[in-house]
């Protein structure tokens, strides 16, 4: 499908930190796309490997970011403000485009309707993904595209504002209209921005045919800490739950689908691991929701984003 608006400029934006292991493959896949970005903007957080060299060789503009000052929202806002594109496509350094037309398909998903402010693509498990990591990707990223707006919250609840800046595109003018991404969040800058866009009457598109390989094999402790951080986000940004409902319904649906998959595959050994994993995630989330009651000397050790607590 040809790009709908040939006159629109496309900027690819990537925050990086010691990404040499994946960036060569990332740029190789980007160079094979059916449409090309008008610019690539990299914000590098003081990498000590050859990340900067790889990015510049690929033609990227590299903007230095002090590692201690990196912020999931603030840094992306800074990079977006520097970009000249009408459509801003955000990646993480380990999200590898899976199809030659993934970039074009994602941009077209944003441009299909004037009410759509942003779109995100499908994330497929990479070759090293465990059974649990693979199922999470299948659960969060189905094979059917859709568009969601404010009224969909009545059925989809918190899922209405699901998005991931690992592979997402935004109309720059609409992103600017909600002041880009909030600074100072532990993470979830994409969710909060989408929430504001939806409340402003805009919509989000999910482009199932625009895909990247991107997954993580979290340890039990990493799953606990990540769930703690999700709880912190929901505790500090309570308006998300007030407008879009609890996230716990999604969690229950995921657990049900995971156990059904494991039983179907007769993967009984993993059931024990999942019982512990789900229990730890539940405890982590609940602790995160109540983080203000936890002594400040302890919270960094419960979190996967430990530097955030030192700001």
């Amino acid at each position: 499908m040809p790009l709908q608006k040939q006159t629109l400029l496309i900027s690819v934006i990537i925050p990086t930190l010691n990404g040499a292991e994946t960036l060569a493959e990332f740029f190789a896949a980007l160079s094979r796309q059916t449409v090309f970005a008008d610019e690539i903007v990299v914000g590098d957080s003081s990498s000590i490997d050859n990340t900067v060299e790889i990015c510049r060789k690929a033609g990227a503009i590299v903007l230095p970011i002090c590692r201690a000052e990196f912020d999931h929202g603030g840094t992306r806002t800074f990079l977006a403000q520097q970009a000249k594109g009408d459509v801003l496509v955000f990646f993480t350094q380990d999200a590898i485009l899976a199809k030659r037309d993934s970039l074009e398909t994602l941009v077209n998903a944003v441009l299909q309707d004037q009410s759509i402010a942003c779109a995100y693509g499908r994330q497929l498990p990479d070759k090293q993904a465990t059974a649990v990591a693979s199922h999470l990707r299948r659960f969060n990223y189905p094979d059917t595209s859709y568009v969601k707006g404010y009224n969909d919250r009545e059925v989809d609840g918190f899922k209405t504002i699901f998005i991931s800046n690992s592979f997402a595109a935004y109309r720059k003018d609409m992103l600017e209209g909600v002041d880009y991404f909030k600074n100072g969040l532990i993470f979830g800058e994409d969710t909060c921005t989408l929430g504001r866009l939806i409340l402003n009457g805009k919509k989000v598109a999910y482009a199932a045919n625009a895909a990247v390989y991107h997954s993580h094999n979290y340890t039990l402790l990493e799953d606990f800490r990540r769930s703690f951080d999700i709880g912190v986000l929901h505790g500090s940004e309570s308006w998300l739950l007030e407008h879009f409902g609890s996230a716990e319904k999604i969690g229950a649906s995921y657990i049900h689908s995971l156990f059904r998959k494991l039983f179907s595959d007769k993967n009984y050994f993993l059931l024990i691991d999942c019982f512990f994993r789900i229990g730890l995630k539940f405890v982590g989330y609940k602790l995160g929701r109540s983080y203000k009651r936890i002594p400040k000397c302890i919270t960094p050790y419960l979190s996967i984003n430990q530097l955030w607590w030192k700001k």
Side-chain angles (χ1 to χ4, degrees), residues 284-300:
Y285 178 76
K286 288 297 186 181
L287 285 173
R289 288 288 302 273
S290 305
Y291 76 97
K292 293 181 180 178
R293 301 193 199 123
I294 301 174
K296 292 183 179 180
C297 60
I298 296 177
T299 46

Side-chain angles (χ1 to χ4, degrees), residues 106-117:
L106 185 67
V107 172
N108 274 336
V110 177
L111 302 178
Q112 65 182 298
D113 190 295
Q114 286 297 322
S115 66
I116 296 174

Side-chain angles (χ1 to χ4, degrees), residues 63-120:
L63 303 175
I65 307 293
C66 177
R67 189 177 302 184
E69 296 176 0
F70 173 84
D71 182 270
H72 287 287
T75 298
R76 285 180 171 87
T77 292
F78 168 71
L79 298 175
Q81 290 172 333
Q82 308 310 305
K84 64 184 181 182
D86 303 291
V87 178
L88 310 180
V89 185
F90 289 86
F91 288 88
T92 50
Q93 64 191 22
D94 57 346
I96 311 301
L97 288 155
K99 302 167 66 177
R100 290 192 65 246
D101 63 348
S102 286
L103 181 59
E104 182 176 3
T105 302
L106 185 67
V107 172
N108 274 336
V110 177
L111 302 178
Q112 65 182 298
D113 190 295
Q114 286 297 322
S115 66
I116 296 174
C118 54
Y120 67 101

Side-chain angles (χ1 to χ4, degrees), residues 122-157:
R122 191 176 187 184
Q123 295 186 28
L124 303 171
D126 61 30
K127 296 178 181 178
Q128 288 75 42
T130 64
V132 173
S134 296
H135 183 74
L136 181 61
R137 285 297 178 261
R138 286 191 294 269
F139 179 81
N140 284 334
Y141 302 95
D143 57 6
T144 303
S145 301
Y146 52 74
V147 176
K148 290 183 179 180
Y150 184 69
N151 291 337
D152 292 291
R153 81 197 190 288
E154 297 175 4
V155 174
D156 298 317

